[in-house]
Amino acid sequence: MATETRLSAPPTDRSEDLSRRTLTVPTLVFLIIAASAPLTVLAGGVPTSYAVTGLLGVPAGYIALGVILVLFALGYGAMSTRIQNAGAFYAYVAAGLGIRQGIGASLLALVSYNAMQIGLYGIFGFAAASFVSAKTGLDVPWWAAALVGFVIVGLLGINKIDLSAKVVAVVVALEFAVVIAVDVISFAVAPEGPSVAAFEPTNFFANGVGAILAFGIAAFMGFESGAIYSEEVKDPRRTVSRATFIAVSLISVFYAFSAWALQVGVGPSNTIAASTELGPDLVFVFLTEQGDVLVADIANVLFITSLLAALIAFHNAAARYFYSLGRSGVLPRMFGIVGRRNSAPVAGSLSQSALAIVLIVVFAVVGAGSELGPLFPVVTMFTWLCNAAAFGLVFLMAVTSVAVIGFFRKDPLGHSAFVRVVAPALAAVGLGTVFVLILVNFDVMIGVEGITPLVVIMPAIILGAGLAGLVWGEYLRRNRPAVYDAMTFE
């Protein structure tokens, strides 16, 4: 019978124990939403979707994706009541499809979360440097601003999760306040009236709908991260599932409404053109045009702190994957070390920070003197790494949906057939479709034309990590059976 998972290589002392259970549903919701970064989505994701797709149906796309992800969350949440492990996808796939497949998922997840986190330094550095330069006249390089964020994230990462949660909660609350203010101003201005063009079928079911879904899913990345904190929540049987449902429902409705509001504020007939011309600056230009430069500046600052909150959230996620894999023996045991006083995954946090600093330096050196100018880290580091990460995480969610069906196959554990089979099956189909759409539209998503080496290399790195994990899992099964057999999720 399936019960709570037996952690592989159970901790023998506090240096390997992550489980100081302090997180509640509200704090976990804030951590989840921080990874999705509401203000970043409104300022960056929404205008980009309008510009690239040329369709007004972007808000409807968030609703459609929300339905798919709610279906995913049903089985995912049910499974979270039985399995608590910091390596969420790793543990879930291992329990439902087999240990070797779980190891494959673990390395794919580790690469994806690191890519997402590190890619965000590109846009964070650009946004922070641009704002400081505009207000002070100083020529601040993007990498210098990125390093400031790097230090903040690194220090929080080696402290107890409560501190990160408090910082993130304040930032997310302010983000919501700004987005709501933009929504209110948009409907107050409404140059063409409160149009519902965003929800007309002809503006959604048209050539480009695939790109709407491919771009839109990136806005939700991080909502699945609740399970990563399952060893640190006060009530492991309820907190993760509740927080996940609240987060995905709130994100879906909020994004759809805000994307619609921005369209109403700019005017449906002008939305595509304005988004194409201004891109991520659209929101701030819109606020400035309404006569309040101070509000626009505040929104700009909170856009930067929104990115910082997302960096913190994804850093914590990656650190906990390092920790889980080190504890289980998939990676060297040193990665399973935590702080004795704060139970933070110190080794995992430092490892993630090491990867981040290396890539910040690489992109800073390569981008020196680039013809792209200040936009270099956005067009390259941010766009390449974050879209590749979204590609990997969507694939993992589709696989996890199948794993849910496998996990409950022998024992339903009191869950209905809809939760055990129907919802995860529909989610697998929906997520699989989005995965294919991302692959088909990957050239557009990273800003290149046609099949270039980059279009092949980036997805190949992500999927290659999964294949390497499968090979490593087979190696462990054959050559280190004690380690392999200890990875039991029953």
Side-chain angles (χ1 to χ4, degrees), residues 10-95:
T12 56
D13 58 53
R14 290 295 300 169
S15 68
E16 296 180 354
D17 189 2
L18 189 67
S19 56
R20 281 190 176 181
R21 297 192 177 277
T22 58
L23 299 180
T24 61
V25 171
T27 53
L28 188 54
V29 168
F30 277 120
L31 282 169
I32 293 172
I33 292 178
S36 296
L39 184 53
T40 300
V41 171
L42 179 63
V46 171
T48 300
S49 293
Y50 280 131
V52 172
T53 65
L55 295 175
L56 296 176
V58 171
Y62 289 122
I63 296 296
L65 290 167
V67 171
I68 294 173
L69 295 179
V70 164
L71 290 171
F72 169 81
L74 283 170
Y76 190 68
M79 205 166 174
S80 73
T81 66
R82 296 291 171 173
I83 293 183
Q84 288 91 51
N85 188 286
F89 284 134
Y90 156 53
Y92 288 19
V93 174

Side-chain angles (χ1 to χ4, degrees), residues 285-432:
V285 170
F286 170 74
L287 289 173
T288 302
E289 287 177 346
Q290 303 316 310
D292 202 330
V293 177
L294 177 60
V295 172
D297 285 346
I298 292 173
N300 222 322
V301 169
L302 289 175
F303 173 60
I304 296 168
T305 58
S306 167
L307 291 166
L308 182 64
L311 281 165
I312 294 169
F314 280 110
H315 173 88
N316 284 332
R320 279 154 181 77
Y321 263 94
F322 274 118
Y323 161 77
S324 179
L325 299 180
R327 179 182 59 187
S328 67
V330 174
L331 294 180
R333 296 281 185 186
M334 59 168 287
F335 289 105
I337 296 174
V338 303
R340 290 183 176 274
R341 293 185 177 181
N342 56 28
S343 295
V346 175
S349 179
L350 293 175
S351 299
Q352 202 287 318
S353 293
L355 286 173
I357 192 65
V358 168
L359 284 175
I360 289 173
V361 170
V362 167
F363 276 92
V365 171
V366 173
S370 170
E371 61 182 18
L372 293 172
L375 281 172
F376 174 82
V378 178
V379 175
T380 59
M381 188 177 189
F382 169 68
T383 303
W384 296 353
L385 296 182
C386 289
N387 280 311
F391 171 81
L393 292 174
V394 170
F395 177 77
L396 277 173
M397 286 191 286
V399 172
T400 301
S401 295
V402 178
V404 170
I405 298 173
F407 179 74
F408 288 112
R409 183 180 56 188
K410 292 182 179 180
D411 190 337
L413 297 170
H415 295 288
S416 68
F418 184 80
V419 170
R420 292 182 289 108
V421 180
V422 178
L426 291 173
V429 172
L431 290 164

Side-chain angles (χ1 to χ4, degrees), residues 413-467:
L413 297 170
H415 295 288
S416 68
F418 184 80
V419 170
R420 292 182 289 108
V421 180
V422 178
L426 291 173
V429 172
L431 290 164
T433 300
V434 174
F435 170 76
V436 172
L437 290 173
I438 293 176
L439 190 58
V440 170
N441 290 280
F442 201 74
D443 57 336
V444 178
M445 295 180 72
I446 63 172
V448 300
E449 295 183 4
I451 304 300
T452 65
L454 198 62
V455 172
V456 177
I457 291 170
M458 297 307 297
I461 290 174
I462 299 297
L463 295 181
L467 291 174

